[in-house]
Amino acid sequence: MEEIVLEPKDAVDWSYRGEGAINLVLAYTGSSPTFLGKVMRIKKKLKKGYENGGDTSGNGLTSLENIIWGGIKDLVSCQNKEMVDYLFVKHVMRPLLGHKHVNAGIRRLVATEFLESIEKMVRSQHISRRDNASSVDTNLTSVLLMDDLTSFAQGHVEDHVPCLTVEIKPKCGFLPSSSFISEENLIKKTIPLFEMYQVRKLRENEILEISKYDPLDLFSGSKDRIHKAIKALYATPQTNFRVFLNGSLVFGGFRGSKCIATSKDELAFEHILKGIIKTEDDSVRANSFIELVAETIYASGALDQLLEVQKLDRYNIEAVIHAYYDLIDHPCKACQELEKSKLSNQFGAMHAMPQDEKVNILKNFLISSTATDCSVMVSIRSRGTGLSSHGNVHLESTKQDFEYKVHFIDLDMRPLNRMESYYESDKKIMKTYLEMLKTKGDQP
């Protein structure tokens, strides 16, 4: 870990970029070559439901988590829970997804007063934050410093070429084929989880309309289907599609998950695109943008690797939950909910598996969950005349050449104690979707 400690006076050089449930993200606005082109991720005080339950060791992992990740010596031997997610990304997700597309970052020591100054700054700016946003964890001793993926700037070199960055949450890109999926839930094998989850979200008033986005299109490897997926995300961004220009949010995410792209939003965005996508016909600029994003994703091939990591879950949560109860040595609640006849036919084989096999099933499920919930950052800018160390793509509709880079972010380890909530969420999604189908079937 770097030994330079960030002090309260340094807080003025960082500005709020955004946040998730677990991390606050700040962008560097100062002039130090050390931090130019960097963002900082700071852990927040964990809200109920996110903390790791049970007895934990010095690294914040439970004894069972230490068994699951026991093959990664750096991870289980570290005595600092702030290092766990960093080491998980470095030793688990980065080798699986490819070093080219994953930046593990570096830890940077911080003074408590620095974190207090950051929290005060964020609050004083009255920034529109997530509902019930929790505050910065001022007990931290370090933060994570990463490359700013909304910029091509590196080290001490500033870059003035406009950079367009698209953040996509692609979600699950395959249909499960597990033989453990119950008879009443066989529809899982034909309808994407995202589509079924949309029905639940609409019923619970979390979204205003159902998105036409299908993750299977995005992960298809077909240029036409990827284009169809980006077009659907652009029409209904929700929390799955955001666009930044030089680090500032310019499209999507304005109203959280209820976000629908209004004609006013689209006009404002098309105006922003004028300096990047060169076309005489203003009416096709948005279509050219969609084409550019689709071409870039297709050319990068990055999602092929992400899909392989998602597919590490070969059993589905319906079966994995049984392995979980065996490993924590609790009576299996999932079995208790099932009729005895179904139990003996379906899950006896799962409960009879050797311990090490169950550990592996859980490990693969947790890795798959991280890969399913991560974000993809696609950064694009006009290509200059010099040599480029990045990928290159040609936009046929405007005869322009661009360079791009693609990275995966939000690759934190999923806590084992979330297994029951994964299972309950899956049941709720299925129940809501099947009820909707029944209601449709009852209509004349």
Side-chain angles (χ1 to χ4, degrees):
M1 195 187 305
E2 293 283 341
E3 290 304 317
I4 301 169
V5 180
L6 287 163
E7 302 289 350
K9 62 181 174 57
D10 301 311
V12 295
D13 292 329
W14 295 89
S15 66
Y16 178 89
R17 171 67 65 79
E19 64 190 289
I22 296 172
N23 294 292
L24 182 75
V25 181
L26 304 168
Y28 186 66
T29 56
S31 56
S32 167
T34 308
F35 301 110
L36 208 62
K38 300 291 182 186
V39 293
M40 180 187 293
R41 280 180 61 179
I42 305 177
K43 290 274 185 190
K44 302 191 322 191
K45 285 178 183 170
L46 293 183
K47 294 196 287 188
K48 193 174 180 184
Y50 286 95
E51 61 277 288
N52 208 347
D55 295 327
T56 59
S57 53
N59 58 16
L61 298 179
T62 63
S63 55
L64 186 52
E65 284 175 326
N66 275 308
I67 291 170
I68 287 172
W69 306 112
I72 305 148
K73 294 289 179 266
D74 275 7
L75 187 63
V76 295
S77 64
C78 91
Q79 287 300 304
N80 181 346
K81 65 180 181 179
E82 294 166 33
M83 292 290 288
V84 167
D85 278 328
Y86 164 72
L87 292 170
F88 177 75
V89 173
K90 184 178 178 182
H91 294 301
V92 180
M93 300 310 296
R94 196 177 184 198
L96 287 169
L97 292 170
H99 289 223
K100 181 181 176 183
H101 300 299
V102 178
N103 174 7
I106 57 167
R107 301 298 305 186
R108 173 76 66 172
L109 295 172
V110 290
T112 301
E113 294 79 11
F114 172 81
L115 297 171
E116 289 170 348
S117 298
I118 291 293
E119 174 63 17
K120 192 175 177 184
M121 176 268 289
V122 170
R123 287 187 184 281
S124 71
Q125 290 178 7
H126 302 292
I127 288 156
S128 175
R129 301 176 65 184
R130 290 168 64 102
D131 293 338
N132 305 315
S134 51
S135 56
V136 168
D137 185 351
T138 52
N139 293 318
L140 299 172
T141 58
S142 67
V143 295
L144 188 63
L145 208 62
M146 305 176 74
D147 288 343
D148 185 351
L149 300 176
T150 66
S151 164
F152 278 81
Q154 290 186 334
H156 62 281
V157 182
E158 284 199 67
D159 203 307
H160 301 291
V161 180
C163 176
L164 207 58
T165 303
V166 181
E167 180 183 356
I168 299 170
K169 287 187 176 293
K171 309 311 284 185
C172 186
F174 72 101
L175 295 171
S177 57
S178 170
S179 59
F180 287 100
I181 291 171
S182 61
E183 198 173 318
E184 59 266 35
N185 291 339
L186 284 178
I187 198 163
K188 277 184 182 181
K189 297 185 177 185
T190 54
I191 304 292
L193 182 65
F194 180 84
E195 183 179 327
M196 293 192 279
Y197 198 11
Q198 286 281 298
V199 172
R200 177 185 152 186
K201 282 186 168 184
L202 187 68
R203 180 171 288 190
E204 296 183 356
N205 199 33
E206 290 180 33
I207 55 175
L208 296 175
E209 68 177 47
I210 289 197
S211 171
K212 291 185 173 64
Y213 167 62
D214 182 351
L216 271 58
D217 287 334
L218 192 69
F219 284 93
S220 66
S222 156
K223 199 180 286 190
D224 289 343
R225 288 183 66 188
I226 293 170
H227 187 277
K228 181 185 172 190
I230 302 301
K231 193 174 180 181
L233 285 167
Y234 180 77
T236 317
Q238 295 182 7
T239 56
N240 302 99
F241 190 80
R242 299 195 298 168
V243 185
F244 300 84
L245 177 63
N246 300 330
S248 297
L249 182 66
V250 291
F251 185 81
F254 303 114
R255 291 171 293 280
S257 62
K258 292 194 178 183
C259 181
I260 293 173
T262 64
S263 55
K264 187 179 175 183
D265 291 333
E266 289 184 14
L267 279 171
F269 182 57
E270 285 168 21
H271 181 73
I272 284 165
L273 290 174
K274 272 190 176 181
I276 299 164
I277 294 178
K278 313 288 186 185
T279 173
E280 297 299 319
D281 186 351
D282 291 349
S283 65
V284 302
R285 190 167 279 111
N287 287 335
S288 294
F289 162 74
I290 291 166
E291 180 194 340
L292 175 59
V293 177
E295 287 280 351
T296 304
I297 288 171
Y298 176 77
S300 77
L303 292 188
D304 297 345
Q305 199 58 37
L306 183 63
L307 183 60
E308 289 308 305
V309 180
Q310 289 185 0
K311 285 181 174 179
L312 287 174
D313 172 29
R314 296 189 295 110
Y315 289 89
N316 193 261
I317 184 64
E318 282 190 50
V320 178
I321 192 68
H322 294 268
Y324 169 72
Y325 282 121
D326 281 356
L327 285 172
I328 64 170
D329 202 21
H330 281 196
C332 183
K333 291 181 187 176
C335 284
Q336 291 167 5
E337 293 170 1
L338 296 167
E339 296 167 13
K340 286 183 180 176
S341 59
K342 290 181 183 175
L343 169 63
S344 59
N345 291 336
Q346 274 187 291
F347 296 105
M350 177 61 72
H351 287 288
M353 283 181 180
Q355 179 96 339
D356 60 346
E357 206 167 325
K358 289 174 190 168
V359 166
N360 205 44
I361 286 168
L362 269 173
K363 177 183 172 182
N364 284 337
F365 178 84
L366 294 171
I367 292 171
S368 170
S369 297
T370 292
T372 299
D373 289 334
C374 77
S375 289
V376 184
M377 301 289 277
V378 182
S379 297
I380 308 166
R381 69 173 181 180
S382 294
R383 191 186 165 191
T385 52
L387 289 172
S388 170
S389 59
H390 304 285
N392 297 291
V393 67
H394 178 71
L395 182 58
E396 185 57 36
S397 61
T398 64
K399 308 297 183 196
Q400 284 177 273
D401 291 310
F402 294 87
E403 58 182 344
Y404 68 84
K405 56 181 183 176
V406 177
H407 285 87
F408 299 113
I409 61 167
D410 298 335
L411 297 169
D412 294 346
M413 179 191 291
R414 295 297 178 261
L416 190 62
N417 73 320
R418 300 283 302 279
M419 288 300 300
E420 285 183 321
S421 73
Y422 282 133
Y423 180 59
E424 291 304 319
S425 175
D426 184 76
K427 282 198 301 181
K428 200 170 178 182
I429 290 167
M430 295 310 303
K431 183 173 183 285
T432 310
Y433 191 77
L434 292 170
E435 282 173 359
M436 179 274 293
L437 289 181
K438 189 172 183 295
T439 304
K440 272 189 171 180
D442 291 343
Q443 288 175 355

